[in-house]
Protein backbone atom coordinates (compact mmCIF):
# COMPACT_ATOMS: atom_id res chain seq x y z
CA UNK A 1 0.00 0.00 0.00
CA UNK A 2 1.26 3.48 -0.88
CA UNK A 3 1.28 5.79 2.12
CA UNK A 4 2.29 9.31 3.12
CA UNK A 5 4.29 9.44 6.37
CA UNK A 6 4.05 12.63 8.45
CA UNK A 7 4.78 13.67 12.02
CA UNK A 8 7.86 13.57 14.22
CA UNK A 9 10.74 11.15 14.83
CA UNK A 10 9.94 9.51 11.52
CA UNK A 11 13.20 7.54 11.50
CA UNK A 12 11.79 5.49 14.37
CA UNK A 13 8.93 4.17 12.25
CA UNK A 14 10.27 4.39 8.68
CA UNK A 15 12.40 1.17 8.86
CA UNK A 16 9.25 -0.80 9.80
CA UNK A 17 7.12 0.24 6.86
CA UNK A 18 8.36 -2.15 4.17
CA UNK A 19 8.17 -5.05 6.63
CA UNK A 20 4.42 -4.56 6.88
CA UNK A 21 3.71 -3.84 3.23
CA UNK A 22 3.81 -0.03 3.21
CA UNK A 23 5.56 2.04 0.55
CA UNK A 24 6.14 5.76 0.96
CA UNK A 25 4.90 7.93 -1.89
CA UNK A 26 4.53 11.65 -2.54
CA UNK A 27 1.49 11.25 -4.80
CA UNK A 28 -1.45 8.90 -5.22
CA UNK A 29 -1.09 7.51 -1.69
CA UNK A 30 -4.04 5.66 -0.15
CA UNK A 31 -3.29 6.32 3.51
CA UNK A 32 -1.59 8.92 5.70
CA UNK A 33 0.27 7.57 8.72
CA UNK A 34 0.51 10.33 11.34
CA UNK A 35 3.36 9.50 13.72
CA UNK A 36 3.22 11.66 16.82
CA UNK A 37 0.56 13.06 19.12
CA UNK A 38 -2.78 14.79 18.76
CA UNK A 39 -1.16 17.67 16.89
CA UNK A 40 0.28 15.34 14.29
CA UNK A 41 -3.17 13.90 13.57
CA UNK A 42 -4.78 17.34 13.38
CA UNK A 43 -2.07 18.56 11.04
CA UNK A 44 -2.34 15.47 8.84
CA UNK A 45 -6.09 15.92 8.43
CA UNK A 46 -5.63 19.60 7.64
CA UNK A 47 -2.94 18.95 5.02
CA UNK A 48 -4.58 15.88 3.46
CA UNK A 49 -8.33 16.18 4.09
CA UNK A 50 -10.43 13.20 3.09
CA UNK A 51 -7.51 10.77 2.84
CA UNK A 52 -7.79 8.00 5.48
CA UNK A 53 -5.45 8.41 8.45
CA UNK A 54 -3.71 5.89 10.68
CA UNK A 55 -2.46 7.79 13.76
CA UNK A 56 0.28 6.12 15.80
CA UNK A 57 1.72 7.68 18.93
CA UNK A 58 5.42 8.48 18.85
CA UNK A 59 6.78 6.10 21.49
CA UNK A 60 9.86 8.30 21.95
CA UNK A 61 7.77 11.03 23.56
CA UNK A 62 4.53 9.20 24.41
CA UNK A 63 5.11 5.77 25.92
CA UNK A 64 2.83 3.04 24.57
CA UNK A 65 1.31 0.10 26.42
CA UNK A 66 2.29 -3.40 25.27
CA UNK A 67 -0.94 -3.80 23.30
CA UNK A 68 -0.22 -0.79 21.11
CA UNK A 69 3.42 -1.03 20.20
CA UNK A 70 3.99 0.37 16.72
CA UNK A 71 4.78 -3.05 15.20
CA UNK A 72 1.52 -4.52 16.50
CA UNK A 73 -0.54 -1.66 15.09
CA UNK A 74 1.07 -1.92 11.65
CA UNK A 75 0.57 -5.70 11.59
CA UNK A 76 -3.09 -5.35 12.62
CA UNK A 77 -3.69 -2.87 9.84
CA UNK A 78 -2.09 -5.18 7.28
CA UNK A 79 -4.46 -7.95 8.39
CA UNK A 80 -7.47 -5.65 8.01
CA UNK A 81 -8.21 -5.74 11.74
CA UNK A 82 -8.08 -1.99 12.39
CA UNK A 83 -11.54 -0.40 12.73
CA UNK A 84 -12.37 2.72 10.74
CA UNK A 85 -14.08 5.66 12.46
CA UNK A 86 -15.76 8.42 10.46
CA UNK A 87 -15.74 11.75 12.31
CA UNK A 88 -17.69 14.93 11.50
CA UNK A 89 -15.70 18.15 11.25
CA UNK A 90 -16.69 21.63 12.35
CA UNK A 91 -16.15 24.87 10.47
CA UNK A 92 -16.09 28.63 10.85
CA UNK A 93 -16.85 31.05 8.02
CA UNK A 94 -15.93 34.74 8.08
CA UNK A 95 -14.87 37.31 5.52
CA UNK A 96 -15.65 34.87 2.71
CA UNK A 97 -13.23 32.25 4.04
CA UNK A 98 -13.89 28.97 5.82
CA UNK A 99 -11.64 27.17 8.31
CA UNK A 100 -12.25 23.48 9.00
CA UNK A 101 -11.37 21.57 12.16
CA UNK A 102 -11.41 18.04 13.50
CA UNK A 103 -11.62 19.29 17.10
CA UNK A 104 -12.91 22.85 17.31
CA UNK A 105 -13.15 26.35 15.87
CA UNK A 106 -12.81 29.32 18.24
CA UNK A 107 -13.17 33.06 18.09
CA UNK A 108 -10.62 34.46 20.56
CA UNK A 109 -9.59 37.91 21.73
CA UNK A 110 -6.67 39.03 19.58
CA UNK A 111 -5.25 41.31 22.27
CA UNK A 112 -4.44 39.28 25.37
CA UNK A 113 -4.80 42.33 27.62
CA UNK A 114 -8.30 43.14 26.36
CA UNK A 115 -11.41 40.96 26.58
CA UNK A 116 -13.56 40.21 23.55
CA UNK A 117 -17.16 41.42 23.53
CA UNK A 118 -19.52 39.49 21.30
CA UNK A 119 -23.16 38.71 20.57
CA UNK A 120 -24.45 35.14 20.07
CA UNK A 121 -27.31 33.94 17.89
CA UNK A 122 -28.24 30.27 17.57
CA UNK A 123 -30.31 29.27 14.56
CA UNK A 124 -31.26 32.92 14.10
CA UNK A 125 -32.42 33.48 17.68
CA UNK A 126 -30.59 35.75 20.09
CA UNK A 127 -28.95 33.72 22.88
CA UNK A 128 -26.72 36.36 24.47
CA UNK A 129 -26.81 40.07 23.65
CA UNK A 130 -23.29 40.69 24.90
CA UNK A 131 -20.72 38.35 26.40
CA UNK A 132 -17.36 39.54 27.71
CA UNK A 133 -14.53 37.03 27.85
CA UNK A 134 -11.59 35.40 26.14
CA UNK A 135 -13.65 33.80 23.40
CA UNK A 136 -16.25 31.31 22.25
CA UNK A 137 -15.97 28.16 20.22
CA UNK A 138 -17.76 25.22 18.65
CA UNK A 139 -16.49 21.70 19.29
CA UNK A 140 -17.09 18.38 17.58
CA UNK A 141 -17.74 15.21 19.58
CA UNK A 142 -14.11 14.21 19.04
CA UNK A 143 -12.96 17.63 20.22
CA UNK A 144 -15.08 17.46 23.35
CA UNK A 145 -12.19 15.78 25.18
CA UNK A 146 -9.78 18.57 24.25
CA UNK A 147 -10.19 22.36 24.65
CA UNK A 148 -13.94 22.07 25.24
CA UNK A 149 -13.31 19.85 28.24
CA UNK A 150 -10.68 22.21 29.69
CA UNK A 151 -13.22 25.05 29.58
CA UNK A 152 -16.40 23.24 30.63
CA UNK A 153 -15.00 20.32 32.68
CA UNK A 154 -17.36 18.07 30.74
CA UNK A 155 -17.64 16.09 27.53
CA UNK A 156 -20.54 15.11 25.26
CA UNK A 157 -21.31 12.16 22.99
CA UNK A 158 -23.65 13.59 20.33
CA UNK A 159 -24.16 16.96 18.67
CA UNK A 160 -22.01 20.06 18.94
CA UNK A 161 -20.55 21.79 21.99
CA UNK A 162 -20.62 25.57 22.41
CA UNK A 163 -18.12 26.75 25.03
CA UNK A 164 -17.55 30.21 26.50
CA UNK A 165 -14.00 30.82 27.69
CA UNK A 166 -13.58 32.92 30.86
CA UNK A 167 -16.81 34.87 30.39
CA UNK A 168 -17.67 37.44 33.04
CA UNK A 169 -21.42 36.81 32.57
CA UNK A 170 -23.28 33.76 33.84
CA UNK A 171 -23.71 32.10 30.48
CA UNK A 172 -24.26 28.38 30.07
CA UNK A 173 -22.12 26.14 27.92
CA UNK A 174 -24.40 24.30 25.51
CA UNK A 175 -24.68 21.00 23.67
CA UNK A 176 -26.51 21.70 20.43
CA UNK A 177 -28.10 19.69 17.68
CA UNK A 178 -25.61 18.82 14.94
CA UNK A 179 -27.65 20.91 12.49
CA UNK A 180 -27.42 24.08 14.60
CA UNK A 181 -25.70 27.15 13.22
CA UNK A 182 -24.14 29.66 15.59
CA UNK A 183 -23.52 33.26 14.58
CA UNK A 184 -21.03 35.31 16.59
CA UNK A 185 -20.94 39.07 16.09
CA UNK A 186 -17.95 41.03 17.38
CA UNK A 187 -19.21 43.90 19.54
CA UNK A 188 -15.72 44.98 20.56
CA UNK A 189 -12.62 43.41 19.11
CA UNK A 190 -10.52 42.61 17.43
CA UNK A 191 -11.11 38.88 17.51
CA UNK A 192 -9.30 36.08 15.72
CA UNK A 193 -10.87 32.92 14.32
CA UNK A 194 -8.74 29.78 14.67
CA UNK A 195 -9.27 26.11 13.85
CA UNK A 196 -7.46 23.33 15.74
CA UNK A 197 -3.71 23.97 15.64
CA UNK A 198 -3.73 25.58 12.20
CA UNK A 199 -1.47 28.61 11.66
CA UNK A 200 -4.16 30.10 9.40
CA UNK A 201 -6.23 32.77 11.14
CA UNK A 202 -8.99 35.25 10.30
CA UNK A 203 -9.08 38.59 12.14
CA UNK A 204 -12.52 40.13 12.78
CA UNK A 205 -13.22 43.70 13.81
CA UNK A 206 -16.22 45.40 15.41
CA UNK A 207 -19.47 44.55 13.63
CA UNK A 208 -18.08 41.57 11.73
CA UNK A 209 -19.59 38.11 12.10
CA UNK A 210 -18.49 34.49 12.02
CA UNK A 211 -20.76 31.51 11.40
CA UNK A 212 -19.91 28.27 13.26
CA UNK A 213 -21.42 24.96 12.15
CA UNK A 214 -20.86 21.27 11.51
CA UNK A 215 -19.27 20.82 8.12
CA UNK A 216 -20.32 18.39 5.42
CA UNK A 217 -16.69 17.22 5.39
CA UNK A 218 -15.66 14.15 7.38
CA UNK A 219 -12.43 12.62 8.60
CA UNK A 220 -11.74 8.89 8.25
CA UNK A 221 -9.49 7.62 11.03
CA UNK A 222 -8.25 4.06 11.49
CA UNK A 223 -7.44 2.78 14.97
CA UNK A 224 -8.79 5.78 16.87
CA UNK A 225 -9.44 3.70 20.00
CA UNK A 226 -5.80 2.57 19.99
CA UNK A 227 -4.65 6.16 19.58
CA UNK A 228 -6.81 7.24 22.55
CA UNK A 229 -5.99 4.19 24.68
CA UNK A 230 -6.46 4.89 28.45
CA UNK A 231 -3.60 2.51 29.36
CA UNK A 232 -1.20 4.38 27.10
CA UNK A 233 -2.42 7.68 28.52
CA UNK A 234 -1.70 6.57 32.10
CA UNK A 235 1.87 5.75 31.12
CA UNK A 236 2.27 9.31 29.87
CA UNK A 237 0.42 10.86 32.83
CA UNK A 238 1.09 8.70 35.91
CA UNK A 239 -0.31 11.42 38.18
CA UNK A 240 -3.77 10.36 36.94
CA UNK A 241 -3.47 6.92 38.52
CA UNK A 242 -6.21 6.20 41.08
CA UNK A 243 -5.54 7.60 44.54
CA UNK A 244 -4.05 4.94 46.79
CA UNK A 245 -3.66 6.89 50.03
CA UNK A 246 -0.71 8.29 51.90
CA UNK A 247 2.05 6.32 53.56
CA UNK A 248 3.10 7.99 56.80
CA UNK A 249 6.76 7.84 57.77
Amino acid sequence: MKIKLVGKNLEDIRPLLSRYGFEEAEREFELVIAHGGDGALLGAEREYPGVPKLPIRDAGTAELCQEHRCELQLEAFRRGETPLTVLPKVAGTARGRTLYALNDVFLHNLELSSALRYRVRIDGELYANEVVGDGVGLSSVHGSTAYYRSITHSIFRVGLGLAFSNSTEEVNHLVLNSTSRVEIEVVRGPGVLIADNSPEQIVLNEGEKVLLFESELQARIYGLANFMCPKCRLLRHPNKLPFRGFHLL
Side-chain angles (χ1 to χ4, degrees), residues 166-239:
N166 289 330
S167 62
T168 58
E169 287 74 27
E170 293 185 1
V171 59
N172 292 323
H173 310 296
L174 300 174
V175 177
L176 305 171
N177 190 292
S178 60
T179 60
S180 293
R181 300 173 77 83
V182 181
E183 181 188 85
I184 309 297
E185 178 183 351
V186 177
V187 175
R188 187 189 70 189
V192 57
L193 180 66
I194 58 174
D196 286 343
N197 59 351
S198 173
E200 185 178 2
Q201 301 177 347
I202 302 175
V203 176
L204 288 90
N205 296 308
E206 181 179 336
E208 293 188 301
K209 300 175 182 178
V210 56
L211 184 65
L212 309 179
F213 56 97
E214 181 174 294
S215 168
E216 74 283 358
L217 302 181
Q218 297 177 318
R220 294 182 289 165
I221 315 294
Y222 282 99
L224 189 60
N226 297 344
F227 189 67
M228 306 296 288
C229 169
K231 293 180 182 179
C232 294
R233 189 176 298 274
L234 281 178
L235 292 174
R236 299 191 297 274
H237 305 287
N239 61 310

Side-chain angles (χ1 to χ4, degrees), residues 132-146:
V132 180
D134 290 346
V136 55
L138 193 70
S139 168
S140 68
V141 170
H142 181 68
S144 74
T145 61

Side-chain angles (χ1 to χ4, degrees), residues 10-25:
L10 298 184
E11 293 310 314
D12 291 345
I13 186 175
R14 185 167 276 130
L16 302 174
L17 296 178
S18 60
R19 185 190 309 175
Y20 296 99
F22 298 103
E23 176 188 352
E24 285 193 72

Side-chain angles (χ1 to χ4, degrees), residues 87-134:
L87 298 175
K89 299 166 74 169
V90 290
T93 296
R95 290 192 166 188
R97 296 162 56 193
T98 301
L99 302 183
Y100 297 93
L102 185 58
N103 275 358
D104 46 53
V105 282
F106 264 82
L107 180 66
H108 268 289
N109 52 331
L110 182 61
E111 303 294 339
L112 297 181
S113 59
S114 179
L116 180 71
R117 292 178 181 266
Y118 55 92
R119 184 170 293 120
V120 181
R121 292 182 175 88
I122 301 174
D123 294 327
E125 294 188 12
L126 183 66
Y127 175 70
N129 188 55
E130 183 172 295
V131 182
V132 180
D134 290 346

Side-chain angles (χ1 to χ4, degrees), residues 35-76:
H35 188 244
D38 294 359
L41 174 58
L42 296 177
E45 180 59 31
R46 182 172 63 252
E47 293 297 320
Y48 307 101
V51 181
K53 310 295 182 305
L54 174 61
I56 298 177
R57 298 278 180 187
D58 164 30
T61 55
E63 189 175 354
L64 302 175
C65 71
Q66 288 302 307
E67 298 176 25
H68 297 131
R69 290 185 291 112
C70 183
E71 295 92 333
L72 296 180
Q73 294 192 62
L74 294 176
E75 174 62 19

